[in-house]
Amino acid sequence: MKRSARFFCILLAGILSVSWVAAAAPASGGGLMGFARGLAYLGDWEAAYIDAGDGVPRSEYFGMNPAEAMAFTLLAGGTMTIRIQGQEGPGAWEAVEGGVRTDVEGERNDLLMEGDYLTLRDGTMTIYFRRAGTNPPAPQGAAPQVTQAPATPAPDMAEGPAGGYAGVWTPLRYEMGGYTFDIRMLFVEGGDITLRPDGTGEAALAPGYSEPLSWSESGGALTLQGSMFLSGPAWDAQSQELTLDYTSPDIKVVYARKDAGEPAATAEPTRVPALEPPATPAPPTQAPDTPAPHLPVPSGAVVETDLFTATFPEGWAENEGWRSTFGGYASVTVDKPGAGGWADGSVTIQASTEGVGSYRDKVRELDGYAQKAGLEKAGETAIGGIPFVTAEYERWGTRAVGYAARVPESQVTLYVTADQADNIAADLPAILGSITFTLPALDPPGQDPPLPEDGRRLEPQGGTAALGDLELTARWLRSGEPIVVNDVFSAHAAVAGGTLYTLSGDALQAFEVNGDTLAPRDGGMRLPEEFDQLSAGKDGLLYVAQGFWNILAVRDGEVVADNAVGGFLAMHPDGEWGVGYWANADTKRVTAQGGSLTEEPWILTGLSDPAARQGRFSNLSCVYVARDRVYAAGNDALSGDAQRVAAYDLEGNELLTFGAADWMKDDALGSVTAMAETPAGILVLDGNYRALKLFSPEGEFLGQVEDLDELLGTDYPWPCAMGTLPDGGVFIAVAQARDDESADELLVFRVTGL
């Protein structure tokens, strides 16, 4: 095993060694999608099945119940508690596309969501985590469970509301993990759904953003289409409430009709007015002895933890639902109550014994906020005698102030966040001045890895490897300065107009391929925000996608068009059209005109709804458009949600599929990150298996480079992109952490022999 997270290493029954390792997914952008994804994973998770490498997930292994050995809790604010054989420890986490990324003792690793399970793989061993207290269907191929909890009866649903579903529906609350939460924690403003009698409508999900949708009714059942967030509508005749899944079946949003009259049948979506806060907050609906996690509980003027203390003015109250303290970690949020019981502002203080990675990410984020405000970089403020990097930014429509500090000697990262800062400006200086830190004294003192500019760059040598009957050779394309990326899962690359572009967050760089070197050239730029994916257009245009909000058209370092088209984009070689896709959203046929994009439905729709699904996929990880074909890779619902590839003609007719449903087979796929047609066949880059696989145009498996390290001379990198080079051949781009942990780098290789 090439990578491990020290804290997660355990011994099962004295003979089974399991490590928490990367089952990687590309990082997602922030904003509403990132927030919603994060909510979907909050709560307790426990190990339910272990597959030790024989392809059979078992709920008992050598007499041990996995749930008793391994569990974790994902907490609000990006912290987590890990429990290994009864011992607890701290960590951090964030949502990524298809799962979560954890950070424990500086080790970052990903778990992907497969069905109802967060799944951890190391190439041979797989651990399946389920939500604590649930009993979802067993993973494919699982041995019979030793014990099985009784199924939860479905709620009693009846025919739809009197007069049908047309009207305006207002969200009342949302439910998750057996708890009921205030709806304004999910929808800061709005949240209404408008359903018009003509079958059109929209959902107002965030300030300034409304999502168009279509709907129909049959036999009292409501069907929604076109929404990237809402699915699974269910009507409860007894309560007269409509429930919808929000991004995941784990989050239920409950709606009531706001206006029984018919809304205007306008042709274009309109913004729904924001909801006014109620006079008093709705009472919590969970058990009386369990406090609602969002309600503040008075705590006096002082908060204390093992790592810090702080004094707050009279009238401030600690929000106990957001307190989290255990060995080496403490986080406390204190609110200033306002009218009607709602907080006028809050201050959160966090201290965490951890690696330096999350701190450096935060500094980069704060610098970005400062630069958007016209400053060179973030400022500095002393808190408790420690210098903090600080910047202002907008959060949920109000001004927030973030502070971040690092104490290498104690290996502790410190954060302070002031929300609704304008409302608490008079109190904030005194609060910050009251904070004192009590940090561990390590012997010898801790030491952080070098800064990226001081670290030792990677120098891969490239190599050779057999691929079926072929002999491939890889040569590293060296850049003058190393291509440092935010992390190994946030990089991408593409060729447009003869220029090779690399992307990491908001940094777009342009290179000319000159022999075995990458020479910087004009065309790079600092993007207005972070983006995730590149695709080449026509006449040197480059499309830069976030995965949800918008797609930029860029040429020669300038934004040509900002398109209100979401998802990732795979363009046809002629640059005039492409296919838009994103996770389980409907695919789109996207037409380009001078950088401006328009879209219409493509053949794969209803991916998240088995009853409405068109095509075989329940989720897409990659789409590649070749000269005469479109290749789509993702979870094949017709093959037990195994990762497979389907090829279509340009009219959308399915031609063939490939990739074994049995993951033990050589031609099985784990997570496709890129595809390319070559003279030798269809080349597939697999992120999870770190492999390169070749299939014939008829879908026959021709061979694989099972270990990319053999070909590239690397050390377990994340393969993120592949394409054709301007002077011929194929490039493969991978991201790898440096040995000295100073940074992650993007490495580009020319691969010949195809």
Side-chain angles (χ1 to χ4, degrees):
M1 208 177 293
K2 296 185 178 178
R3 299 178 67 197
S4 65
R6 296 182 299 277
F7 189 86
F8 282 103
C9 293
I10 65 171
L11 195 66
L12 289 179
I15 64 168
L16 178 60
S17 179
V18 179
S19 296
W20 194 278
V21 299
S28 66
L32 182 58
M33 175 62 84
F35 174 68
R37 283 189 176 144
L39 286 174
Y41 300 112
L42 288 175
D44 297 323
W45 296 82
E46 62 186 14
Y49 292 88
I50 294 175
D51 176 353
D54 60 0
V56 180
R58 291 178 170 84
S59 60
E60 182 177 286
Y61 205 87
F62 288 93
M64 177 172 287
N65 180 352
E68 297 174 355
M70 294 171 285
F72 58 90
T73 301
L74 302 181
L75 302 166
T79 62
M80 66 184 297
T81 307
I82 309 100
R83 292 174 293 281
I84 303 294
Q85 291 184 322
Q87 298 189 6
E88 287 194 357
W93 72 280
E94 63 177 335
V96 297
E97 183 186 349
V100 299
R101 176 172 302 152
T102 64
D103 187 331
V104 179
E105 294 189 349
E107 297 279 351
R108 295 183 182 184
N109 306 282
D110 289 322
L111 289 81
L112 294 180
M113 199 75 191
E114 297 183 10
D116 297 301
Y117 295 89
L118 278 172
T119 304
L120 169 66
R121 300 182 187 274
D122 71 0
T124 58
M125 179 172 292
T126 306
I127 305 175
Y128 297 87
F129 292 87
R130 68 188 173 197
R131 285 198 175 276
T134 67
N135 187 41
Q140 183 180 9
Q145 282 188 278
V146 178
T147 60
Q148 185 164 341
T152 303
D156 181 21
M157 300 297 174
E159 290 189 0
Y165 290 96
V168 179
W169 295 83
T170 293
L172 303 177
R173 61 188 182 274
Y174 74 95
E175 301 169 352
M176 182 174 61
Y179 290 93
T180 297
F181 297 90
D182 192 293
I183 192 61
R184 276 170 290 186
M185 294 179 66
L186 188 61
F187 300 131
V188 180
E189 292 183 21
D192 285 4
I193 299 174
T194 301
L195 302 180
R196 301 188 187 86
D198 63 359
T200 64
E202 76 269 356
L205 299 179
Y209 173 75
S210 285
E211 174 180 74
L213 51 84
S214 59
W215 68 280
S216 61
E217 178 182 355
S218 177
L222 173 65
T223 299
L224 288 181
Q225 292 184 323
S227 174
M228 299 183 72
F229 287 99
L230 302 170
S231 62
W235 170 251
D236 188 323
Q238 183 175 0
S239 65
Q240 294 289 293
E241 294 175 338
L242 177 66
T243 299
L244 290 167
D245 296 342
Y246 184 78
T247 76
S248 160
D250 297 318
I251 306 176
K252 307 287 186 183
V253 181
V254 180
Y255 293 82
R257 188 189 296 277
K258 181 179 182 180
D259 181 1
E262 292 184 353
T266 56
E268 296 294 328
T270 58
R271 281 300 321 278
V272 180
L275 295 177
E276 293 296 326
T280 56
T285 60
Q286 60 259 44
D289 59 349
T290 304
H294 61 283
L295 296 180
V297 180
S299 62
V302 178
V303 293
E304 295 182 283
T305 72
D306 291 341
L307 296 172
F308 58 80
T309 63
T311 302
F312 287 79
E314 196 66 33
W316 283 67
E318 181 181 345
N319 189 327
E320 290 190 348
W322 296 95
R323 172 181 275 259
S324 180
T325 57
F326 41 82
Y329 179 83
S331 177
V332 173
T333 297
V334 184
D335 295 331
K336 181 178 183 179
W342 300 98
D344 272 350
S346 64
V347 172
T348 298
I349 308 170
Q350 291 178 308
S352 178
T353 302
E354 60 181 37
V356 73
S358 62
Y359 166 71
R360 290 182 178 173
D361 288 345
K362 187 66 173 180
V363 171
R364 185 164 50 245
E365 177 186 333
L366 294 175
D367 281 341
Y369 290 136
Q371 289 161 6
K372 288 180 181 179
L375 304 175
E376 183 178 347
K377 63 178 183 178
E380 188 173 291
T381 300
I383 303 176
I386 299 172
F388 279 69
V389 176
T390 182
E392 299 179 359
Y393 55 95
E394 184 178 308
R395 176 179 168 91
W396 307 119
T398 66
R399 186 175 69 92
V401 186
Y403 307 83
R406 177 72 178 166
V407 184
E409 297 83 359
S410 298
Q411 291 291 283
V412 171
T413 296
L414 305 170
Y415 297 125
V416 178
T417 305
D419 281 313
Q420 301 184 68
D422 291 334
N423 295 340
I424 60 174
D427 293 339
L428 189 57
I431 295 171
L432 297 180
S434 76
I435 300 174
T436 60
F437 296 100
T438 306
L439 305 181
L442 303 181
D443 187 17
Q447 185 175 355
D448 284 340
L451 291 168
E453 58 269 27
D454 299 326
R456 187 173 61 255
R457 75 176 296 173
L458 297 171
E459 300 274 354
Q461 298 303 306
T464 61
L467 177 60
D469 297 332
L470 305 174
E471 184 75 13
L472 303 188
T473 299
R475 296 183 65 86
W476 175 44
L477 303 182
R478 183 187 182 98
S479 56
E481 294 293 328
I483 306 172
V484 174
V485 298
N486 291 352
D487 63 73
V488 294
F489 304 117
S490 68
H492 204 246
V495 171
T499 298
L500 187 142
Y501 291 91
T502 65
L503 172 69
S504 178
D506 63 352
L508 180 68
Q509 294 179 265
F511 299 94
E512 178 184 352
V513 181
N514 187 1
D516 289 339
T517 64
L518 296 178
R521 58 156 295 173
D522 293 340
M525 63 180 298
R526 183 68 66 177
L527 299 166
E529 52 194 315
E530 293 191 355
F531 287 79
D532 299 305
Q533 188 246 5
L534 302 174
S535 186
K538 185 178 181 180
D539 299 329
L541 278 170
L542 181 72
Y543 294 100
V544 188
Q546 282 187 325
F548 179 68
W549 292 109
N550 61 324
I551 297 177
L552 301 180
V554 173
R555 182 193 286 121
D556 297 330
E558 300 288 340
V559 175
V560 175
D562 187 348
N563 296 282
V565 173
F568 285 166
L569 180 61
M571 291 297 291
H572 186 269
D574 67 13
E576 296 182 353
W577 67 278
V579 174
Y581 66 99
W582 174 256
N584 62 359
D586 290 355
T587 58
K588 305 289 185 179
R589 190 183 194 279
V590 179
T591 302
Q593 184 68 41
S596 297
L597 303 177
T598 57
E599 59 182 2
E600 57 185 300
W602 197 57
I603 58 169
L604 302 177
T605 59
L607 277 68
S608 62
D609 185 351
R613 182 181 297 129
Q614 298 295 313
R616 65 175 55 248
F617 291 104
S618 61
N619 195 291
L620 291 172
S621 61
C622 181
V623 172
Y624 163 62
V625 183
R627 181 66 58 184
D628 300 313
R629 287 182 174 184
V630 177
Y631 296 90
N635 295 337
D636 184 353
L638 303 183
S639 301
D641 268 346
Q643 182 88 176
R644 303 188 74 222
V645 175
Y648 303 84
D649 64 22
L650 299 188
E651 283 70 46
N653 301 304
E654 185 177 289
L655 303 174
L656 55 93
T657 63
F658 54 87
D662 181 354
W663 70 274
M664 295 290 288
K665 301 292 187 182
D666 286 344
D667 59 333
L669 302 170
S671 178
V672 175
T673 57
M675 295 175 278
E677 278 189 355
T678 72
I682 306 159
L683 204 57
V684 178
L685 192 60
D686 192 306
N688 273 10
Y689 290 129
R690 267 67 172 186
L692 192 63
K693 306 199 178 194
L694 184 66
F695 297 83
S696 75
E698 294 72 40
E700 176 189 0
F701 179 61
L702 301 177
Q704 67 173 325
V705 176
E706 189 172 2
D707 185 355
L708 272 178
D709 292 342
E710 176 187 358
L711 174 63
L712 305 181
T714 48
D715 184 13
Y716 204 68
W718 171 248
C720 58
M722 180 170 62
T724 303
L725 284 170
D727 55 357
V730 170
F731 79 84
I732 293 178
V734 303
Q736 179 180 310
R738 289 177 178 171
D739 294 337
D740 63 6
E741 300 181 351
S742 61
D744 301 325
E745 284 187 45
L746 185 69
L747 306 170
V748 183
F749 297 84
R750 181 198 303 275
V751 177
T752 57
L754 292 161

